[in-house]
Amino acid sequence: MQATKKELIYEGKGKKMWSINESDDLLISEFKDSLTAFNGVKKAEESGKGALNCKISTLIFDLLKKHGIATALVETISPTEQLVKKCKIFPLEIIARNIATGSLTKRLGIKEGTKLPFTLVEFCYKDDELGDPILNDEHCLLLGAVKSQSELDELKKIARKINGILIKFFDERNLKLVDFKIELGRDKDGNILLADEISPDSCRFWDKQTDKKLDKDVFRQDLGSVKVAYEEVLRRILG
Ligand code: 5GP
């Protein structure tokens, strides 16, 4: 579909969102080359990173669509731009974890690399000023981030379904899906859609044999070239 940018309506750390002339229900989501970590304290530009994430996220959303996950992605219209359905995003980072690392090891002292006995689903409040604090179910209700426990349970169910599909997909490509963050929203008809992106910026991938990190931890921990790591993820997705 032909889509021309009208107005910049939001600029985040990794993306710009544009309204378009052709429809009030659709937006253009533009992937940026910027990399940020530690709540924006560490910053860098990596030319080509936006295009890599746009490609990887498109492939993953297409896979999830085939497995019955409703997504906001309509069409990828350029190397860094997607046409997406407008939706009201739950103000939550929904995190699924299969292996302990990152903030989980710091918070609970679970040894890095421990395989969790079940997939842990967590919620963080999307609020940069507060540093995206972790929430329990009652916090989510208290803050009005969801309307009811059953709505929250639905978000958990979608996160677990996505995890099940992706863990198998990446396992077949010699990658461990360690953890990931997703964002969900409701469209104007009330459907819950997978929004934002799924990419090495929002997931952790480790090589199955060596545990080599192939995700944004390469940037967070200065482990080498981010682009080389993301290109490796793309290469394995394409098989
Ligand atoms: P952790 O809580 O261990 O820092 O992160 C858990 C997972 O969620 C990791 O895959 C991480 O990349 C992702 N994640 C957590 N917060 C954010 C965020 O603000 N933006 C993005 N893109 N991913 C996040």
Side-chain angles (χ1 to χ4, degrees):
M1 175 186 151
Q2 172 71 25
T4 42
K5 287 173 177 165
K6 190 158 83 178
E7 194 187 337
L8 179 64
I9 55 168
Y10 167 81
E11 177 158 8
K13 284 176 273 191
K15 249 172 260 98
K16 289 180 184 169
M17 303 298 293
W18 302 84
S19 61
I20 61 168
N21 289 322
E22 293 78 3
S23 164
D24 290 335
D25 298 329
L26 301 176
L27 300 170
I28 289 176
S29 167
E30 182 181 346
F31 288 68
K32 303 199 311 186
D33 283 340
S34 15
L35 275 158
T36 62
F38 313 120
N39 202 15
V41 172
K42 184 170 179 173
K43 289 184 201 154
E45 284 292 308
E46 181 80 45
S47 167
K49 195 266 310 185
L52 274 166
N53 275 356
C54 183
K55 180 108 204 231
I56 291 170
S57 195
T58 300
L59 292 164
I60 294 176
F61 272 50
D62 286 347
L63 169 80
L64 292 171
K65 263 190 221 176
K66 273 194 213 132
H67 284 82
I69 301 287
T71 84
L73 176 61
V74 177
E75 195 185 339
T76 298
I77 54 172
S78 86
T80 54
E81 292 168 317
Q82 295 178 336
L83 194 59
V84 298
K85 284 187 197 150
K86 212 184 248 184
C87 53
K88 191 164 185 291
I89 303 283
F90 294 96
L92 297 169
E93 291 185 342
I94 303 160
I95 294 172
R97 300 180 184 271
N98 300 305
I99 296 172
T101 188
S103 69
L104 182 71
T105 58
K106 290 200 193 87
R107 208 178 329 118
L108 300 182
I110 302 173
K111 195 168 164 277
E112 162 97 5
T114 306
K115 188 175 178 317
L116 301 178
F118 56 87
T119 300
L120 179 67
V121 176
E122 298 175 333
F123 295 98
C124 291
Y125 195 37
K126 271 167 61 89
D127 187 315
D128 285 343
E129 272 182 35
L130 296 175
D132 299 339
I134 187 159
L135 305 177
N136 70 16
D137 286 16
E138 291 186 19
H139 292 134
C140 292
L141 293 165
L142 190 76
L143 290 166
V146 285
K147 287 195 298 279
S148 61
Q149 183 65 47
S150 68
E151 187 170 54
L152 196 60
D153 291 343
E154 209 176 334
L155 305 189
K156 288 183 197 175
K157 201 170 140 195
I158 295 170
R160 288 186 196 284
K161 183 166 180 198
I162 290 173
N163 185 60
I165 299 162
L166 294 187
I167 218 171
K168 179 170 182 290
F169 178 80
F170 284 107
D171 181 69
E172 288 164 2
R173 282 149 184 85
N174 219 16
L175 285 172
K176 292 181 191 172
L177 177 64
V178 174
D179 56 29
F180 64 89
K181 184 267 305 180
I182 52 169
E183 299 194 12
L184 298 172
R186 273 195 198 275
D187 68 9
K188 65 177 179 16
D189 303 317
N191 304 305
I192 299 183
L193 305 181
L194 173 66
D196 194 47
E197 69 180 284
I198 299 185
S199 74
D201 267 7
S202 60
C203 303
R204 287 192 175 100
F205 299 113
W206 293 355
D207 178 83
K208 225 159 92 178
Q209 272 74 44
T210 64
D211 280 349
K212 184 176 177 198
K213 296 178 200 284
L214 293 167
D215 54 62
K216 200 159 90 171
D217 276 349
V218 172
F219 170 66
R220 293 187 188 102
Q221 301 171 15
D222 296 317
L223 300 176
S225 162
V226 169
K227 238 175 110 177
V228 168
Y230 288 24
E231 275 164 357
E232 178 63 22
V233 171
L234 177 59
R235 196 184 63 75
R236 293 198 195 186
I237 290 174
L238 292 172

